[in-house]
Amino acid sequence: MFKAKAVSVPYLIWMAIFIIAPLVLVGIFALTDAEGSFTIENLSGIGRFTPVFARSIWLAAIATAICLLIAFPMAFAISRMSERRQNLFLMLVMLPMWMNFLLRTYAWMSLLENNGLINRFFGLFGIGPFQMINTQGAVVLGMVYNYLPFMILPLYSVMTKIDNSVIEAAQDLGASNGKVFSKVIIPLAVPGITTGITMVFVPSISTFIISRMLGGGGNLLIGDLIEMQFLGNSYNPHLGSAMALVLMVIVLFTMSITSSIDSEELEDMLI
Amino acid sequence: MTRSTKSSRAYLYVVFTFLYLPIFVLIFFSFNKSKSRNLFTGFTLDWYRQLFQNEMILRALVVTLAVAAIASVCATILGTAAAIGIQGMKRWSRFTVMNFTYIPVINPEVVTGVSMLLLFTSLRYFLNFNMGFGTLLIAHITFNVPYVILSVNPKFRQLDNSLYEAALDLGCNPTQAFFKVILPQIMPGITTGFLMALTYSIDDFVISYFTSGTSQTLSIAVYSMTRRKVSPEINALSTLIFAAVLTILLIMNFKDIRSENSKSGLKKKGAERI
């Protein structure tokens, strides 16, 4: 068995300073006031923002579900191609990610506007214009558009390992296409699904740009609130840290649901 | 079978249209004579000309590329070394380290950005530094490393240990065996990790926004422009970036195909010789 524990030391030091210490600071700030004495006022004050938190969770959950529905067949189709075509299509999936995220969102702004291209297109048939920008739908669209590759890539990377002979074996043993999907492909893709959900849900729930650009001022999310406490008008890093703490708890709770499957998988591999 | 391939192909086209339509609209309007983002009034290259005279954007571009390149190389080295070390650890220490490694991935970007902002502002009580390129770089390396570790780790799980032992039996020392046997096997993971790190770095806005201080990346420049009115210069810039990335990826793909061809050619030659 190949072992070289010592080479991970630089990373462990880095981790302690730049991953662990900052989070400890968030905790300290959340539990202190401006004078530095202990208080739980920051945390208890968050109750006022419950609607914002609920909206964030709801919109992010919808966006994640849509991403999964779009990405699953997509990743499967790509994973069944010849190797050369797989590389080409993966490239096509990743290419939009190289465009700046703000530019991509900005592009949707001009498409969704009241006199934007989509409404002009509808206008040709004499329908519309529809109010699309500054709605919750636009925010969800922005999330799906920006984070879809993050769902496709992990799904693809587990599906490409599914051997065709496994699928053929299931078919030979009499499974219908639906059965093959639900009994073979989906169970084998579970690690990819959980990774994909993490990678879409987390940035969706915490975004503050998409909501600001596509949702107008009326659809504030948690991210907007936190940003405003640190760099915005209502400067209060203590309240902001408390909000960040709550956001982390929400995310960890979500992960604890998805990763319970993961750790079983891990144990299976270890045994 | 043919019907299902046809429908899956149609499906792929629909999704790719969704992914690319906004980008093509963006590109199309970079050639627009007026500033409108909806009405095409005539062809011009003026925005490109103005772009190359806009010092703010050019400087931001340099910062973005420099940060992304340095951060992803550092993160790849740090992360690969970490992954190598982690897989040799006992179960519990591996579990602990991996859980901490997951933090920047799982944690919302806003939280990571805010927590690093808190760290840097707190450190400034003790050390004399300004937030800028240095803090930006540190932040980027920090959120990139986990992606490298997470893409290298699975390769270790797939690793066939008997190959490593065989190399030792055949007279390699552990270092040689690592470079000749293990590294080639985990290389796809390292490459994936590096590319992910690079992509995340270039694309990152949120963490940079909180940690960049005085220096400005492209996304921050764009953000400050969207708050006023975006000039089509930004469209022109997107077009150039898109073209550059496309070219790089195409060249890489052609190289792959050529090396595959030459490899199979070599195999054939070898077979003939035998």
Side-chain angles (χ1 to χ4, degrees):
Chain A
M1 180 76 192
F2 171 75
K3 273 185 186 174
K5 270 191 268 186
V7 289
S8 65
V9 170
Y11 169 67
L12 296 181
I13 296 169
W14 188 278
M15 187 175 86
I17 302 174
F18 296 114
I19 297 179
I20 300 172
L23 289 180
V24 173
L25 278 175
V26 171
I28 293 173
F29 268 74
L31 292 172
T32 52
D33 58 21
E35 276 80 52
S37 50
F38 177 83
T39 178
I40 58 158
E41 233 165 74
N42 299 316
L43 283 167
S44 58
I46 286 175
R48 283 178 283 152
F49 304 104
T50 310
V52 179
F53 277 73
R55 185 193 299 133
S56 305
I57 295 170
W58 175 235
L59 294 184
I62 295 175
T64 310
I66 295 175
C67 276
L68 185 57
L69 285 177
I70 297 177
F72 203 91
M74 176 102 175
F76 185 70
I78 295 177
S79 76
R80 298 301 107 181
M81 293 172 175
S82 69
E83 201 174 320
R84 196 180 293 180
R85 295 197 56 154
Q86 282 187 25
N87 289 336
L88 176 73
F89 276 87
L90 274 190
M91 238 170 60
L92 286 175
V93 169
M94 287 186 67
L95 193 54
M97 290 206 293
W98 285 74
M99 292 283 284
N100 193 283
F101 151 82
L102 291 147
L103 291 171
R104 281 180 276 147
T105 313
Y106 170 72
W108 277 107
M109 265 169 91
S110 53
L111 283 170
L112 295 175
E113 271 173 346
N114 287 341
N115 59 352
L117 285 175
I118 294 177
N119 268 325
R120 272 174 203 276
F121 177 76
F122 283 135
L124 293 178
F125 304 99
I127 41 177
F130 299 103
Q131 171 69 36
M132 288 184 286
I133 193 122
N134 298 344
T135 61
Q136 296 194 347
V139 177
V140 172
L141 177 82
M143 291 170 178
V144 171
Y145 182 73
N146 278 303
Y147 305 129
L148 184 60
F150 297 160
M151 185 66 92
I152 296 175
L153 293 178
L155 282 176
Y156 161 81
S157 70
V158 291
M159 285 175 174
T160 189
K161 286 178 214 136
I162 301 177
D163 204 318
N164 260 332
S165 57
V166 177
I167 296 167
E168 279 156 17
Q171 284 167 340
D172 288 349
L173 293 168
S176 63
N177 278 344
K179 267 267 160 67
V180 171
F181 230 72
S182 64
K183 295 275 176 188
V184 178
I185 297 167
I186 292 179
L188 286 174
V190 162
I193 294 174
T194 51
T195 314
I197 289 176
T198 315
M199 287 174 77
V200 174
F201 184 78
V202 174
S204 297
I205 196 176
S206 61
T207 182
F208 62 94
I209 292 309
I210 296 175
S211 50
R212 207 166 282 176
M213 286 171 85
L214 297 176
N219 293 305
L220 284 186
L221 302 182
I222 305 174
D224 298 281
L225 284 182
I226 296 177
E227 190 266 341
M228 288 188 313
Q229 310 304 322
F230 283 92
L231 296 174
N233 300 328
S234 46
Y235 181 76
N236 184 354
H238 298 276
L239 179 61
S241 294
M243 288 169 173
L245 217 54
V246 174
L247 180 56
M248 262 158 63
V249 170
I250 295 173
V251 168
L252 284 179
F253 177 72
T254 322
M255 290 315 112
S256 70
I257 300 171
T258 47
S259 70
S260 62
I261 310 161
D262 233 1
S263 64
E264 270 173 31
E265 289 260 320
L266 206 71
E267 274 164 25
D268 281 352
M269 278 178 228
L270 288 172
I271 296 162
Chain B
M1 196 62 196
T2 43
R3 216 188 61 195
S4 76
T5 23
K6 251 185 202 165
S7 61
S8 80
R9 188 163 297 172
Y11 181 74
L12 287 178
Y13 285 141
V14 171
V15 178
F16 277 120
T17 309
F18 171 66
L19 282 176
Y20 281 92
L21 187 72
I23 294 171
F24 287 141
V25 170
L26 212 62
I27 292 174
F28 184 68
F29 279 97
S30 73
F31 301 110
N32 192 8
K33 214 165 218 159
S34 77
K35 274 195 164 188
S36 163
R37 357 183 243 203
N38 302 311
L39 218 59
F40 197 77
T41 49
F43 180 86
T44 180
L45 287 174
D46 277 355
W47 305 116
Y48 290 86
R49 214 164 294 142
Q50 284 190 24
L51 177 69
F52 285 110
Q53 287 155 4
N54 188 333
E55 284 214 3
M56 183 195 70
I57 291 182
L58 290 180
R59 209 177 302 135
L61 178 66
V62 172
V63 171
T64 305
L65 294 179
V67 167
I70 301 172
S72 49
V73 170
C74 292
T76 306
I77 296 167
L78 204 60
T80 306
I84 292 165
I86 287 167
Q87 62 85 40
M89 285 177 181
K90 294 219 173 61
R91 195 173 163 178
W92 269 107
S93 33
R94 175 172 14 176
F95 181 76
T96 318
V97 174
M98 280 317 289
N99 269 343
F100 280 118
T101 301
Y102 264 116
I103 288 176
V105 181
I106 289 174
N107 234 356
E109 280 186 311
V110 179
V111 179
T112 308
V114 158
S115 69
M116 296 206 85
L117 176 65
L118 283 178
L119 176 77
F120 292 138
T121 45
S122 306
L123 282 179
R124 286 184 61 182
Y125 285 114
F126 311 106
L127 301 166
N128 186 25
F129 67 94
N130 281 323
M131 303 239 319
F133 192 84
T135 50
L136 190 63
L137 194 60
I138 289 173
H140 275 236
I141 295 173
T142 306
F143 75 76
N144 278 338
V145 175
Y147 292 104
V148 178
I149 297 177
L150 292 178
S151 48
V152 176
N153 260 352
K155 296 288 164 205
F156 272 112
R157 259 184 254 137
Q158 296 159 15
L159 208 64
D160 188 351
N161 235 317
S162 48
L163 283 179
Y164 173 71
E165 278 153 17
L168 292 184
D169 288 347
L170 292 170
C172 275
N173 63 38
T175 320
Q176 282 173 321
F178 171 76
F179 283 104
K180 300 249 177 208
V181 175
I182 293 182
L183 196 61
Q185 288 189 81
I186 61 171
M187 208 55 202
I190 297 175
T191 318
T192 314
F194 172 74
L195 287 178
M196 276 176 98
L198 200 64
T199 323
Y200 275 72
S201 254
I202 291 179
D203 203 42
D204 177 71
F205 166 71
V206 178
I207 296 171
S208 309
Y209 179 66
F210 287 106
T211 54
S212 61
T214 47
S215 65
Q216 216 179 24
T217 67
L218 205 54
S219 34
I220 296 170
V222 173
Y223 178 66
S224 59
M225 290 179 88
T226 51
R227 302 189 82 179
R228 286 173 263 131
K229 182 151 173 66
V230 180
S231 141
E233 282 168 48
I234 282 291
N235 297 41
L237 180 68
S238 325
T239 310
L240 292 180
I241 293 177
F242 189 77
V245 171
L246 196 63
T247 319
I248 293 169
L249 290 178
L250 284 179
I251 291 170
M252 271 162 59
N253 209 37
F254 275 124
K255 261 193 176 165
D256 273 1
I257 291 167
R258 269 176 59 188
S259 70
E260 259 170 44
N261 286 347
S262 61
K263 256 187 217 162
S264 54
L266 278 179
K267 261 183 210 157
K268 263 182 214 155
K269 269 184 201 160
E272 276 162 20
R273 211 173 288 160
I274 291 162

